[in-house]
Amino acid sequence: MSVTICQSMGFVVSALGIGGIIASTCMDQWSTQDLYNNPVTAVFNYQGLWRTCVRESSGFTECRGYFTILGLPAMFQAVRALMIVGIVLGILGLLVCIFALKCIRIGNMEDSAKANMTLTSGIMFIVAGLCAITGVSVFANMLVTNFWMSTANMYQGMQNVQNRYTFGSALFVGWVAGGLALVGGIMMCLACRGLIPEESRYKAVSYNASGRNISYRTGPYKVGSGYDPETKARKDAGYEEAGRSEDGRRSYPSKYDYV
């Protein structure tokens, strides 16, 4: 019962994590404009992985997608790739995990097959969670670097007005979702140990005769020689019967009998 609960909870937690990863990837608030030095502004900028948006004080929002791929930074494209890989692995893991649930019976599937499928889905969830956490952390590192560079330039008087960007809500969603997928994958791996049958996979099979209850035993082979005592006794008995005559007297063979 505990194995079923652990497997079901792992599936639910992993599903929530994968859903959060998808939501985080589609959100536009990966980086938001820092309003520390300018709390009152008519324009508010925020950016995502796929487009950048501008929201005015009147409530009008305009978004524009990135119409270039080669013009984007390499780390930015790496973050995109990590998030997409995490989503693909998470969806595949969910499909495998559905068929591996112990509460669902499909044909004559054995527990060993369900254990292997559970372990596979757990590994997929763990890798998906790590991809999401890594992608979000790389993007956060980019934001921190650009923020302090912009701050240094502002204090040095090189630029009077420069927009600084800080963490958006999508980053926190991605961190939490990646953690949930990672925890769900670990729970699936733990549930795999309980699904493996305790008895050995290879069972001894005894063969009996169909008509009788006979057990066959194998023993050491004996190499027979021509001078065994039993064989010699049988030969002697044959000569004695042949050597007796009709009247009961014993007759000895002559040398002409061997010709």
Side-chain angles (χ1 to χ4, degrees):
M1 189 65 180
S2 59
V3 176
T4 305
I5 295 176
C6 182
Q7 190 184 36
S8 301
M9 289 298 297
F11 173 75
V12 173
V13 173
S14 301
L16 292 176
I18 301 304
I21 294 174
I22 296 174
S24 173
T25 306
C26 297
M27 291 175 65
D28 296 327
Q29 290 83 13
W30 278 70
S31 60
T32 58
Q33 183 179 356
D34 183 30
L35 302 177
Y36 178 74
N37 292 329
N38 189 14
V40 179
T41 181
V43 179
F44 179 72
N45 299 323
Y46 54 93
Q47 299 175 354
L49 293 179
W50 313 104
R51 58 182 184 175
T52 177
C53 300
V54 177
R55 186 178 62 191
E56 299 179 357
S57 58
S58 60
F60 178 77
T61 302
E62 181 181 0
C63 296
R64 182 179 182 183
Y66 301 117
F67 298 106
T68 178
I69 297 178
L70 299 178
L72 297 175
M75 298 300 292
F76 191 85
Q77 297 182 10
V79 172
R80 280 182 170 182
L82 286 172
M83 299 303 292
I84 292 174
V85 170
I87 292 174
V88 172
L89 288 177
I91 293 176
L92 292 178
L94 288 176
L95 294 177
V96 175
C97 185
I98 290 174
F99 295 101
L101 291 176
K102 194 174 182 181
C103 57
I104 299 177
R105 281 291 178 182
I106 301 176
N108 296 326
M109 186 179 294
E110 299 179 355
D111 290 339
S112 59
K114 284 184 174 290
N116 295 330
M117 295 176 67
T118 302
L119 180 61
T120 303
S121 61
I123 294 175
M124 287 184 176
F125 292 145
I126 292 175
V127 176
L130 291 177
C131 288
I133 293 174
T134 304
V136 175
S137 300
V138 170
F139 193 90
N141 183 44
M142 293 172 55
L143 286 179
V144 172
T145 303
N146 294 331
F147 182 87
W148 289 116
M149 290 179 61
S150 301
T151 303
N153 293 334
M154 290 175 61
Y155 281 110
Q156 290 177 3
M158 298 177 61
Q159 294 180 358
N160 295 328
V161 179
Q162 185 175 7
N163 292 331
R164 296 183 304 178
Y165 291 91
T166 184
F167 294 168
S169 58
L171 296 181
F172 301 101
V173 174
W175 273 318
V176 174
L180 289 176
L182 185 62
V183 172
I186 295 175
M187 294 178 67
M188 296 297 292
C189 293
L190 293 177
C192 169
R193 299 183 58 184
L195 291 175
I196 299 177
E198 298 179 357
E199 55 189 9
S200 176
R201 297 183 179 180
Y202 302 96
K203 299 180 180 180
V205 180
S206 59
Y207 297 91
N208 297 327
S210 59
R212 303 175 183 177
N213 188 10
I214 302 175
S215 60
Y216 298 92
R217 298 180 180 178
T218 58
Y221 293 97
K222 296 181 180 180
V223 180
S225 61
Y227 300 96
D228 293 340
E230 296 181 358
T231 307
K232 187 176 181 181
R234 292 178 181 176
K235 291 182 178 180
D236 295 340
Y239 281 117
E240 290 181 358
E241 292 178 358
R244 294 182 183 277
S245 60
E246 295 179 357
D247 55 357
R249 297 181 180 181
R250 183 179 182 83
S251 61
Y252 295 93
S254 61
K255 62 181 181 178
Y256 299 100
D257 294 337
Y258 295 97
V259 178

